[in-house]
Amino acid sequence: MTETAVNPLEATDTEVARAYAAERKDNIRTFVRTSPDYYVKMFDKIGASARFTPTLNLTAGLFGPVWFGARGLWNWALPFLIIEALAIVQIARGLFGDLAADAMARIASIEGTLELRRKQLAAAIENNTDKIDVYQRTVDSLEANIGGIRDEAAALAAQGPTIALTGLGILVLAKLAQSLAANTALEARFSDWISDRSIRSGMPMLQIAFSAIFMALIVAAAVLHYSFPGRFTLLSDFPTDPEVRLTSIAGVEGFFNWAVLNGEALFDAITYGIRLVLDALEIVFVSTPWIVIASLIILLTWLTAGVRMAIYSGAFLAYMGLLDFWEKAMTTLALLGTAACLSIIIGIPLGMFAARRPRFYSFIQPIMDFMQTMPAFVFMIPVIAFFGTGKPAAVVTTMIFGGTPVVRLTVLGLRGVPESVREAAISFGANKWYLLTKVDLPLASPSIRAGINQTIMLSLAMVVVASLIGAKGLGEDVLEALQYANVGQGILAGFSILFCAMILDRIVQGGRR
Protein backbone atom coordinates (compact mmCIF):
# COMPACT_ATOMS: atom_id res chain seq x y z
CA MET A 1 0.00 0.00 0.00
CA THR A 2 1.46 3.30 -1.08
CA GLU A 3 0.91 6.64 0.72
CA THR A 4 0.36 9.85 -1.25
CA ALA A 5 2.99 12.44 -0.46
CA VAL A 6 1.62 15.84 0.66
CA ASN A 7 3.41 18.91 -0.62
CA PRO A 8 4.22 21.14 2.38
CA LEU A 9 3.71 24.29 0.27
CA GLU A 10 0.22 23.19 -0.78
CA ALA A 11 -0.64 22.39 2.83
CA THR A 12 0.59 25.81 3.87
CA ASP A 13 -1.49 27.55 1.15
CA THR A 14 -4.57 25.61 2.24
CA GLU A 15 -4.09 26.63 5.85
CA VAL A 16 -3.62 30.26 4.85
CA ALA A 17 -6.80 30.15 2.74
CA ARG A 18 -8.76 28.61 5.61
CA ALA A 19 -7.41 31.16 8.06
CA TYR A 20 -8.31 33.99 5.67
CA ALA A 21 -11.83 32.58 5.18
CA ALA A 22 -12.32 32.26 8.93
CA GLU A 23 -11.05 35.79 9.52
CA ARG A 24 -13.32 37.13 6.77
CA LYS A 25 -16.34 35.48 8.35
CA ASP A 26 -15.46 36.95 11.73
CA ASN A 27 -15.07 40.40 10.16
CA ILE A 28 -18.43 40.11 8.40
CA ARG A 29 -20.11 39.13 11.67
CA THR A 30 -18.49 42.07 13.43
CA PHE A 31 -19.51 44.43 10.66
CA VAL A 32 -23.16 43.45 10.08
CA ARG A 33 -24.02 42.30 13.68
CA THR A 34 -27.49 41.20 12.53
CA SER A 35 -28.16 38.02 10.50
CA PRO A 36 -24.43 37.28 10.16
CA ASP A 37 -24.82 33.87 8.51
CA TYR A 38 -27.02 35.33 5.78
CA TYR A 39 -24.57 38.13 5.02
CA VAL A 40 -21.56 35.77 5.05
CA LYS A 41 -23.26 33.73 2.36
CA MET A 42 -24.31 36.78 0.33
CA PHE A 43 -20.93 38.51 0.58
CA ASP A 44 -19.14 35.34 -0.54
CA LYS A 45 -21.49 35.10 -3.50
CA ILE A 46 -20.94 38.75 -4.45
CA GLY A 47 -17.18 38.56 -3.97
CA ALA A 48 -16.87 35.46 -6.15
CA SER A 49 -17.55 37.48 -9.32
CA ALA A 50 -16.25 40.81 -10.60
CA ARG A 51 -19.63 41.50 -12.22
CA PHE A 52 -22.80 42.67 -10.53
CA THR A 53 -24.33 39.70 -8.75
CA PRO A 54 -28.02 40.24 -7.93
CA THR A 55 -29.06 39.04 -4.49
CA LEU A 56 -32.39 39.50 -2.77
CA ASN A 57 -32.55 41.32 0.58
CA LEU A 58 -36.21 41.37 1.61
CA THR A 59 -35.55 43.46 4.72
CA ALA A 60 -33.93 46.22 2.67
CA GLY A 61 -36.77 46.09 0.17
CA LEU A 62 -39.40 46.29 2.89
CA PHE A 63 -37.90 49.16 4.90
CA GLY A 64 -36.28 50.84 1.88
CA PRO A 65 -34.42 54.10 2.56
CA VAL A 66 -34.71 53.55 6.32
CA TRP A 67 -32.57 50.40 6.01
CA PHE A 68 -30.00 52.12 3.83
CA GLY A 69 -29.82 55.12 6.17
CA ALA A 70 -29.47 52.93 9.26
CA ARG A 71 -26.62 51.07 7.55
CA GLY A 72 -24.89 54.37 6.77
CA LEU A 73 -25.50 54.05 3.01
CA TRP A 74 -26.88 57.58 2.59
CA ASN A 75 -25.69 57.85 -1.00
CA TRP A 76 -28.19 55.07 -1.74
CA ALA A 77 -30.82 56.13 0.79
CA LEU A 78 -31.46 59.63 -0.56
CA PRO A 79 -32.13 58.68 -4.23
CA PHE A 80 -34.43 55.86 -3.14
CA LEU A 81 -36.13 58.23 -0.70
CA ILE A 82 -36.91 60.64 -3.53
CA ILE A 83 -38.31 57.85 -5.70
CA GLU A 84 -40.42 56.38 -2.91
CA ALA A 85 -41.68 59.81 -1.88
CA LEU A 86 -42.73 60.46 -5.48
CA ALA A 87 -44.53 57.11 -5.61
CA ILE A 88 -46.32 57.63 -2.28
CA VAL A 89 -47.33 61.15 -3.32
CA GLN A 90 -48.86 59.75 -6.50
CA ILE A 91 -50.73 57.10 -4.55
CA ALA A 92 -52.06 59.66 -2.05
CA ARG A 93 -53.05 62.07 -4.83
CA GLY A 94 -54.87 59.36 -6.70
CA LEU A 95 -56.75 58.03 -3.65
CA PHE A 96 -57.34 61.09 -1.48
CA GLY A 97 -56.19 64.17 -3.37
CA ASP A 98 -58.50 66.80 -4.84
CA LEU A 99 -57.29 66.60 -8.44
CA ALA A 100 -59.85 69.14 -9.61
CA ALA A 101 -58.94 71.79 -7.02
CA ASP A 102 -57.22 74.10 -9.50
CA ALA A 103 -60.05 73.77 -11.99
CA MET A 104 -62.66 74.53 -9.33
CA ALA A 105 -60.68 77.58 -8.22
CA ARG A 106 -60.72 78.84 -11.82
CA ILE A 107 -64.46 78.22 -11.98
CA ALA A 108 -65.00 80.21 -8.76
CA SER A 109 -62.99 83.10 -10.20
CA ILE A 110 -64.94 83.06 -13.47
CA GLU A 111 -68.28 82.80 -11.66
CA GLY A 112 -67.57 86.07 -9.86
CA THR A 113 -67.01 87.80 -13.21
CA LEU A 114 -70.05 86.03 -14.70
CA GLU A 115 -72.29 87.30 -11.90
CA LEU A 116 -71.15 90.88 -12.57
CA ARG A 117 -71.75 90.51 -16.33
CA ARG A 118 -75.24 89.10 -15.69
CA LYS A 119 -76.11 92.13 -13.60
CA GLN A 120 -74.80 94.40 -16.34
CA LEU A 121 -76.86 92.47 -18.91
CA ALA A 122 -80.00 92.76 -16.80
CA ALA A 123 -79.43 96.51 -16.37
CA ALA A 124 -78.86 96.91 -20.12
CA ILE A 125 -82.09 95.00 -20.91
CA GLU A 126 -84.00 97.09 -18.38
CA ASN A 127 -82.65 100.34 -19.85
CA ASN A 128 -82.81 99.01 -23.44
CA THR A 129 -79.25 100.15 -24.24
CA ASP A 130 -77.21 99.23 -27.30
CA LYS A 131 -74.80 97.08 -25.21
CA ILE A 132 -77.23 94.21 -24.73
CA ASP A 133 -75.57 92.10 -27.46
CA VAL A 134 -72.09 92.75 -26.08
CA TYR A 135 -73.06 91.68 -22.56
CA GLN A 136 -74.99 88.70 -23.87
CA ARG A 137 -71.98 87.42 -25.83
CA THR A 138 -69.75 87.93 -22.79
CA VAL A 139 -72.16 85.97 -20.56
CA ASP A 140 -72.42 83.15 -23.12
CA SER A 141 -68.63 82.98 -23.46
CA LEU A 142 -68.10 82.83 -19.70
CA GLU A 143 -70.76 80.13 -19.31
CA ALA A 144 -69.11 78.10 -22.07
CA ASN A 145 -65.76 78.47 -20.36
CA ILE A 146 -67.21 77.28 -17.07
CA GLY A 147 -68.73 74.28 -18.81
CA GLY A 148 -65.41 73.38 -20.41
CA ILE A 149 -63.56 73.72 -17.13
CA ARG A 150 -66.16 71.54 -15.39
CA ASP A 151 -65.59 68.84 -18.01
CA GLU A 152 -61.84 69.20 -17.46
CA ALA A 153 -62.33 68.88 -13.68
CA ALA A 154 -64.40 65.73 -14.15
CA ALA A 155 -61.73 64.24 -16.42
CA LEU A 156 -59.04 65.04 -13.84
CA ALA A 157 -61.06 63.49 -11.04
CA ALA A 158 -61.50 60.33 -13.13
CA GLN A 159 -57.71 59.99 -13.43
CA GLY A 160 -57.36 59.25 -9.72
CA PRO A 161 -57.17 55.43 -9.97
CA THR A 162 -54.68 55.65 -12.85
CA ILE A 163 -52.42 58.00 -10.90
CA ALA A 164 -52.61 55.78 -7.82
CA LEU A 165 -51.76 52.64 -9.83
CA THR A 166 -48.84 54.45 -11.45
CA GLY A 167 -47.49 55.42 -8.04
CA LEU A 168 -47.95 51.85 -6.81
CA GLY A 169 -46.00 50.55 -9.81
CA ILE A 170 -43.16 52.99 -9.15
CA LEU A 171 -43.12 51.99 -5.48
CA VAL A 172 -42.97 48.26 -6.29
CA LEU A 173 -40.13 48.78 -8.77
CA ALA A 174 -38.23 50.91 -6.22
CA LYS A 175 -38.66 48.21 -3.56
CA LEU A 176 -37.42 45.56 -5.99
CA ALA A 177 -34.40 47.68 -6.96
CA GLN A 178 -33.55 48.23 -3.30
CA SER A 179 -33.81 44.52 -2.58
CA LEU A 180 -31.43 43.69 -5.42
CA ALA A 181 -28.89 46.46 -4.71
CA ALA A 182 -28.78 46.32 -0.91
CA ASN A 183 -26.30 43.47 -0.43
CA THR A 184 -23.96 44.75 -3.13
CA ALA A 185 -23.91 48.23 -1.58
CA LEU A 186 -23.35 46.80 1.89
CA GLU A 187 -20.54 44.52 0.65
CA ALA A 188 -18.78 47.54 -0.89
CA ARG A 189 -19.08 49.36 2.44
CA PHE A 190 -17.70 46.28 4.19
CA SER A 191 -14.64 46.40 1.90
CA ASP A 192 -14.10 50.03 2.88
CA TRP A 193 -14.58 49.13 6.56
CA ILE A 194 -11.83 46.48 6.32
CA SER A 195 -9.28 49.18 5.47
CA ASP A 196 -10.78 51.94 7.64
CA ARG A 197 -12.33 50.78 10.90
CA SER A 198 -13.57 54.30 11.66
CA ILE A 199 -16.44 53.67 9.21
CA ARG A 200 -19.62 52.97 11.13
CA SER A 201 -20.74 49.34 11.21
CA GLY A 202 -23.87 47.54 12.30
CA MET A 203 -27.28 49.17 12.79
CA PRO A 204 -27.19 51.32 15.96
CA MET A 205 -30.61 52.12 17.40
CA LEU A 206 -29.88 55.84 17.27
CA GLN A 207 -29.20 55.61 13.52
CA ILE A 208 -32.32 53.53 12.96
CA ALA A 209 -34.45 56.06 14.83
CA PHE A 210 -32.88 59.04 13.07
CA SER A 211 -33.25 57.44 9.64
CA ALA A 212 -36.88 56.43 10.25
CA ILE A 213 -37.91 59.83 11.63
CA PHE A 214 -36.10 61.71 8.86
CA MET A 215 -37.67 59.60 6.09
CA ALA A 216 -41.13 59.79 7.66
CA LEU A 217 -41.00 63.59 7.95
CA ILE A 218 -39.84 64.01 4.36
CA VAL A 219 -42.50 61.70 2.94
CA ALA A 220 -45.27 63.16 5.12
CA ALA A 221 -44.40 66.73 4.13
CA ALA A 222 -44.31 65.80 0.43
CA VAL A 223 -47.62 63.92 0.61
CA LEU A 224 -49.44 66.71 2.44
CA HIS A 225 -48.07 69.43 0.17
CA TYR A 226 -48.67 67.80 -3.20
CA SER A 227 -51.80 65.79 -2.40
CA PHE A 228 -53.63 68.59 -0.61
CA PRO A 229 -52.30 71.82 -2.14
CA GLY A 230 -53.08 75.01 -0.28
CA ARG A 231 -54.36 73.40 2.92
CA PHE A 232 -51.13 73.62 4.87
CA THR A 233 -49.60 77.05 4.38
CA LEU A 234 -46.62 76.16 6.59
CA LEU A 235 -45.40 73.77 3.88
CA SER A 236 -45.60 76.33 1.06
CA ASP A 237 -44.77 79.63 2.77
CA PHE A 238 -41.75 80.04 5.01
CA PRO A 239 -42.83 81.35 8.43
CA THR A 240 -41.41 84.85 8.59
CA ASP A 241 -42.36 88.43 9.31
CA PRO A 242 -41.89 91.24 6.75
CA GLU A 243 -40.37 93.33 9.53
CA VAL A 244 -37.34 91.01 9.58
CA ARG A 245 -36.48 91.90 5.98
CA LEU A 246 -37.14 95.62 6.47
CA THR A 247 -35.01 95.71 9.61
CA SER A 248 -32.17 93.89 7.84
CA ILE A 249 -32.29 96.33 4.91
CA ALA A 250 -32.18 99.29 7.29
CA GLY A 251 -29.23 97.77 9.16
CA VAL A 252 -27.22 97.19 6.00
CA GLU A 253 -27.91 100.70 4.73
CA GLY A 254 -26.93 102.17 8.08
CA PHE A 255 -23.63 100.26 8.06
CA PHE A 256 -22.71 101.43 4.57
CA ASN A 257 -23.66 105.01 5.38
CA TRP A 258 -21.39 104.87 8.43
CA ALA A 259 -18.56 103.31 6.38
CA VAL A 260 -18.83 105.95 3.65
CA LEU A 261 -18.76 108.82 6.16
CA ASN A 262 -15.91 107.48 8.29
CA GLY A 263 -13.79 105.88 5.58
CA GLU A 264 -13.63 108.73 3.10
CA ALA A 265 -9.87 109.23 3.56
CA LEU A 266 -9.16 105.52 3.03
CA PHE A 267 -11.27 105.28 -0.10
CA ASP A 268 -9.73 108.47 -1.49
CA ALA A 269 -6.26 107.03 -0.93
CA ILE A 270 -7.19 103.79 -2.72
CA THR A 271 -8.70 105.75 -5.59
CA TYR A 272 -5.55 107.86 -5.85
CA GLY A 273 -3.33 104.77 -6.01
CA ILE A 274 -5.50 103.19 -8.69
CA ARG A 275 -5.45 106.44 -10.65
CA LEU A 276 -1.65 106.51 -10.62
CA VAL A 277 -1.34 103.03 -12.11
CA LEU A 278 -4.24 103.55 -14.53
CA ASP A 279 -2.94 106.87 -15.85
CA ALA A 280 0.53 105.38 -16.34
CA LEU A 281 -0.81 102.44 -18.34
CA GLU A 282 -3.10 104.68 -20.39
CA ILE A 283 -0.07 106.79 -21.33
CA VAL A 284 1.73 103.61 -22.41
CA PHE A 285 -1.12 101.99 -24.33
CA VAL A 286 -3.26 104.89 -25.54
CA SER A 287 -0.87 107.84 -25.98
CA THR A 288 2.03 105.86 -27.45
CA PRO A 289 1.94 105.56 -31.29
CA TRP A 290 0.08 102.48 -32.40
CA ILE A 291 2.99 101.14 -34.41
CA VAL A 292 5.20 101.08 -31.30
CA ILE A 293 2.65 99.24 -29.18
CA ALA A 294 1.83 96.78 -31.97
CA SER A 295 5.51 96.04 -32.53
CA LEU A 296 6.14 95.48 -28.83
CA ILE A 297 3.14 93.14 -28.48
CA ILE A 298 4.16 91.13 -31.55
CA LEU A 299 7.77 90.93 -30.34
CA LEU A 300 6.69 89.82 -26.86
CA THR A 301 4.39 87.18 -28.33
CA TRP A 302 7.22 85.92 -30.56
CA LEU A 303 9.61 85.65 -27.62
CA THR A 304 7.14 83.79 -25.41
CA ALA A 305 4.85 81.82 -27.73
CA GLY A 306 6.73 81.48 -31.01
CA VAL A 307 6.60 82.81 -34.55
CA ARG A 308 3.21 81.35 -35.44
CA MET A 309 1.46 83.02 -32.53
CA ALA A 310 3.30 86.28 -33.31
CA ILE A 311 1.75 86.20 -36.79
CA TYR A 312 -1.68 85.58 -35.29
CA SER A 313 -1.16 88.46 -32.86
CA GLY A 314 -0.28 90.77 -35.74
CA ALA A 315 -3.48 89.70 -37.53
CA PHE A 316 -5.56 90.29 -34.40
CA LEU A 317 -4.08 93.74 -33.89
CA ALA A 318 -4.67 94.58 -37.56
CA TYR A 319 -8.33 93.54 -37.11
CA MET A 320 -8.73 95.98 -34.21
CA GLY A 321 -7.03 98.79 -36.09
CA LEU A 322 -8.93 98.37 -39.35
CA LEU A 323 -12.31 98.29 -37.60
CA ASP A 324 -11.45 101.41 -35.54
CA PHE A 325 -11.29 99.50 -32.25
CA TRP A 326 -7.63 100.33 -31.58
CA GLU A 327 -8.03 103.12 -29.05
CA LYS A 328 -10.86 101.35 -27.23
CA ALA A 329 -8.85 98.11 -27.17
CA MET A 330 -5.88 99.93 -25.69
CA THR A 331 -8.15 101.58 -23.11
CA THR A 332 -9.48 98.14 -22.24
CA LEU A 333 -5.94 96.78 -21.90
CA ALA A 334 -5.00 99.71 -19.64
CA LEU A 335 -8.03 99.08 -17.41
CA LEU A 336 -7.40 95.35 -17.45
CA GLY A 337 -3.69 95.82 -16.85
CA THR A 338 -4.33 98.02 -13.83
CA ALA A 339 -6.71 95.50 -12.24
CA ALA A 340 -4.51 92.52 -13.12
CA CYS A 341 -1.27 94.16 -11.95
CA LEU A 342 -2.75 95.20 -8.62
CA SER A 343 -4.33 91.75 -8.18
CA ILE A 344 -1.00 90.05 -8.90
CA ILE A 345 1.03 92.45 -6.72
CA ILE A 346 -1.34 91.80 -3.81
CA GLY A 347 -2.21 88.18 -4.58
CA ILE A 348 1.20 86.52 -4.92
CA PRO A 349 2.63 87.83 -1.60
CA LEU A 350 -0.68 87.02 0.09
CA GLY A 351 -0.53 83.48 -1.30
CA MET A 352 3.11 83.12 -0.21
CA PHE A 353 2.16 84.23 3.30
CA ALA A 354 -0.87 81.92 3.48
CA ALA A 355 0.87 78.85 2.03
CA ARG A 356 2.77 78.10 5.27
CA ARG A 357 0.02 79.33 7.60
CA PRO A 358 -3.02 77.01 7.38
CA ARG A 359 -5.04 78.95 9.94
CA PHE A 360 -4.64 82.22 8.07
CA TYR A 361 -5.56 80.53 4.78
CA SER A 362 -8.64 78.92 6.35
CA PHE A 363 -9.63 82.44 7.48
CA ILE A 364 -9.29 84.10 4.05
CA GLN A 365 -10.68 81.15 2.06
CA PRO A 366 -14.38 81.94 2.80
CA ILE A 367 -13.69 85.56 1.86
CA MET A 368 -12.26 84.46 -1.49
CA ASP A 369 -15.22 82.11 -2.00
CA PHE A 370 -17.53 85.08 -1.42
CA MET A 371 -15.58 87.21 -3.91
CA GLN A 372 -15.80 84.56 -6.63
CA THR A 373 -19.37 83.36 -6.14
CA MET A 374 -21.20 86.60 -5.40
CA PRO A 375 -22.68 88.01 -8.67
CA ALA A 376 -20.78 91.01 -9.97
CA PHE A 377 -23.89 93.18 -9.99
CA VAL A 378 -24.26 92.68 -6.23
CA PHE A 379 -20.80 93.77 -5.11
CA MET A 380 -20.92 96.63 -7.62
CA ILE A 381 -23.45 98.27 -5.27
CA PRO A 382 -21.05 98.85 -2.33
CA VAL A 383 -18.20 99.64 -4.75
CA ILE A 384 -20.25 102.48 -6.23
CA ALA A 385 -21.15 103.64 -2.72
CA PHE A 386 -17.48 103.77 -1.69
CA PHE A 387 -15.74 104.81 -4.93
CA GLY A 388 -18.48 106.34 -7.06
CA THR A 389 -18.65 105.56 -10.76
CA GLY A 390 -15.86 105.63 -13.32
CA LYS A 391 -12.64 103.77 -13.98
CA PRO A 392 -11.40 103.38 -10.36
CA ALA A 393 -14.68 101.72 -9.39
CA ALA A 394 -14.42 99.47 -12.46
CA VAL A 395 -10.86 98.49 -11.46
CA VAL A 396 -11.97 97.61 -7.91
CA THR A 397 -14.90 95.55 -9.24
CA THR A 398 -12.58 93.70 -11.63
CA MET A 399 -10.08 93.04 -8.83
CA ILE A 400 -12.79 91.58 -6.57
CA PHE A 401 -13.95 89.19 -9.28
CA GLY A 402 -10.61 88.21 -10.78
CA GLY A 403 -8.11 88.53 -7.95
CA THR A 404 -8.64 85.25 -6.12
CA PRO A 405 -7.18 82.65 -8.57
CA VAL A 406 -3.64 83.97 -8.22
CA VAL A 407 -3.87 83.61 -4.43
CA ARG A 408 -5.34 80.10 -4.57
CA LEU A 409 -2.89 78.78 -7.15
CA THR A 410 0.10 80.38 -5.41
CA VAL A 411 -0.88 78.56 -2.23
CA LEU A 412 -1.45 75.35 -4.20
CA GLY A 413 1.91 75.60 -5.94
CA LEU A 414 3.91 76.32 -2.78
CA ARG A 415 2.17 73.55 -0.85
CA GLY A 416 2.94 71.18 -3.71
CA VAL A 417 6.69 71.62 -3.38
CA PRO A 418 8.04 68.22 -2.20
CA GLU A 419 9.16 68.26 1.40
CA SER A 420 12.16 66.09 0.51
CA VAL A 421 13.50 68.84 -1.76
CA ARG A 422 13.03 71.48 0.92
CA GLU A 423 14.67 69.28 3.55
CA ALA A 424 17.63 68.65 1.23
CA ALA A 425 18.09 72.40 0.69
CA ILE A 426 17.89 73.07 4.43
CA SER A 427 20.40 70.31 5.14
CA PHE A 428 22.86 72.06 2.81
CA GLY A 429 22.54 75.27 4.81
CA ALA A 430 19.87 77.16 2.83
CA ASN A 431 18.33 80.05 4.76
CA LYS A 432 14.66 81.05 4.50
CA TRP A 433 15.22 83.61 1.72
CA TYR A 434 17.27 81.20 -0.37
CA LEU A 435 14.72 78.46 0.24
CA LEU A 436 11.92 80.72 -0.94
CA THR A 437 13.61 82.24 -3.99
CA LYS A 438 15.68 79.27 -5.21
CA VAL A 439 13.52 76.28 -4.26
CA ASP A 440 9.88 77.09 -3.48
CA LEU A 441 9.10 79.74 -6.10
CA PRO A 442 10.86 78.01 -9.05
CA LEU A 443 9.09 74.72 -8.34
CA ALA A 444 5.75 76.47 -7.78
CA SER A 445 6.12 78.75 -10.81
CA PRO A 446 3.89 76.67 -13.17
CA SER A 447 1.02 76.93 -10.72
CA ILE A 448 1.69 80.63 -10.07
CA ARG A 449 1.76 81.35 -13.80
CA ALA A 450 -1.54 79.53 -14.17
CA GLY A 451 -2.97 81.75 -11.42
CA ILE A 452 -1.73 84.88 -13.21
CA ASN A 453 -3.31 83.62 -16.43
CA GLN A 454 -6.64 82.95 -14.74
CA THR A 455 -6.61 86.37 -13.08
CA ILE A 456 -6.03 88.07 -16.43
CA MET A 457 -8.77 86.05 -18.13
CA LEU A 458 -11.32 86.69 -15.40
CA SER A 459 -10.44 90.38 -15.39
CA LEU A 460 -11.03 90.54 -19.13
CA ALA A 461 -14.39 88.81 -18.63
CA MET A 462 -15.47 91.85 -16.56
CA VAL A 463 -14.98 94.30 -19.43
CA VAL A 464 -18.68 94.53 -20.33
CA VAL A 465 -19.82 94.61 -16.69
CA ALA A 466 -17.33 97.36 -15.86
CA SER A 467 -18.73 99.48 -18.68
CA LEU A 468 -21.98 99.74 -16.70
CA ILE A 469 -20.28 101.94 -14.11
CA GLY A 470 -18.46 104.25 -16.48
CA ALA A 471 -15.44 102.28 -17.71
CA LYS A 472 -14.63 103.03 -21.33
CA GLY A 473 -13.30 100.61 -23.88
CA LEU A 474 -14.61 97.66 -25.86
CA GLY A 475 -17.19 96.83 -23.21
CA GLU A 476 -18.91 100.12 -23.95
CA ASP A 477 -19.50 99.07 -27.58
CA VAL A 478 -20.92 95.73 -26.48
CA LEU A 479 -23.19 97.46 -23.97
CA GLU A 480 -24.48 99.88 -26.62
CA ALA A 481 -25.09 96.96 -28.96
CA LEU A 482 -27.19 95.28 -26.28
CA GLN A 483 -29.17 98.46 -25.61
CA TYR A 484 -29.92 99.25 -29.23
CA ALA A 485 -29.93 95.69 -30.68
CA ASN A 486 -26.97 96.54 -32.92
CA VAL A 487 -25.92 93.00 -33.78
CA GLY A 488 -22.99 93.89 -36.04
CA GLN A 489 -21.32 96.27 -33.60
CA GLY A 490 -21.71 93.84 -30.71
CA ILE A 491 -20.26 90.87 -32.61
CA LEU A 492 -17.28 92.82 -33.95
CA ALA A 493 -16.49 94.35 -30.54
CA GLY A 494 -16.87 90.91 -28.96
CA PHE A 495 -14.30 89.47 -31.36
CA SER A 496 -11.91 92.27 -30.36
CA ILE A 497 -12.29 91.28 -26.70
CA LEU A 498 -11.71 87.66 -27.69
CA PHE A 499 -8.52 88.53 -29.59
CA CYS A 500 -7.19 90.54 -26.64
CA ALA A 501 -7.79 87.54 -24.42
CA MET A 502 -6.08 85.18 -26.86
CA ILE A 503 -3.00 87.38 -27.14
CA LEU A 504 -2.64 87.71 -23.38
CA ASP A 505 -3.32 84.02 -22.84
CA ARG A 506 -0.67 82.94 -25.35
CA ILE A 507 1.88 85.32 -23.86
CA VAL A 508 1.38 83.96 -20.35
CA GLN A 509 0.94 80.32 -21.37
CA GLY A 510 3.87 80.49 -23.74
CA GLY A 511 6.11 81.77 -20.99
CA ARG A 512 4.99 78.92 -18.75
CA ARG A 513 5.83 76.29 -21.36
Side-chain angles (χ1 to χ4, degrees), residues 108 138 143 146 183 187 255 263 319 326 328 334 370 387 401 420:
T138 302
E143 289 176 346
I146 289 176
N183 290 334
E187 196 273 339
F255 169 75
Y319 170 89
W326 180 264
K328 293 182 178 180
F370 169 81
F387 298 97
F401 183 75
S420 58

Side-chain angles (χ1 to χ4, degrees), residues 414 417-418 421-426 430-431 433-445:
L414 290 174
V417 175
V421 177
R422 303 184 80 248
E423 290 173 0
I426 293 172
N431 55 29
W433 179 253
Y434 186 92
L435 188 66
L436 176 65
T437 57
K438 301 297 183 180
V439 178
D440 290 343
L441 290 180
L443 291 177
S445 61

Side-chain angles (χ1 to χ4, degrees), residues 15 28 51 59 79 82 104 110 126 143 158 165 170 185 192 290 292 295 319 342 347 363 378 445 455 468:
E15 291 174 359
I28 293 174
R51 297 181 178 179
T59 304
I82 295 172
M104 298 308 295
I110 294 175
E126 183 179 353
E143 289 176 346
L165 289 175
I170 295 173
D192 295 336
W290 66 268
V292 176
S295 301
Y319 170 89
L342 293 175
F363 171 74
V378 176
S445 61
T455 292
L468 290 170

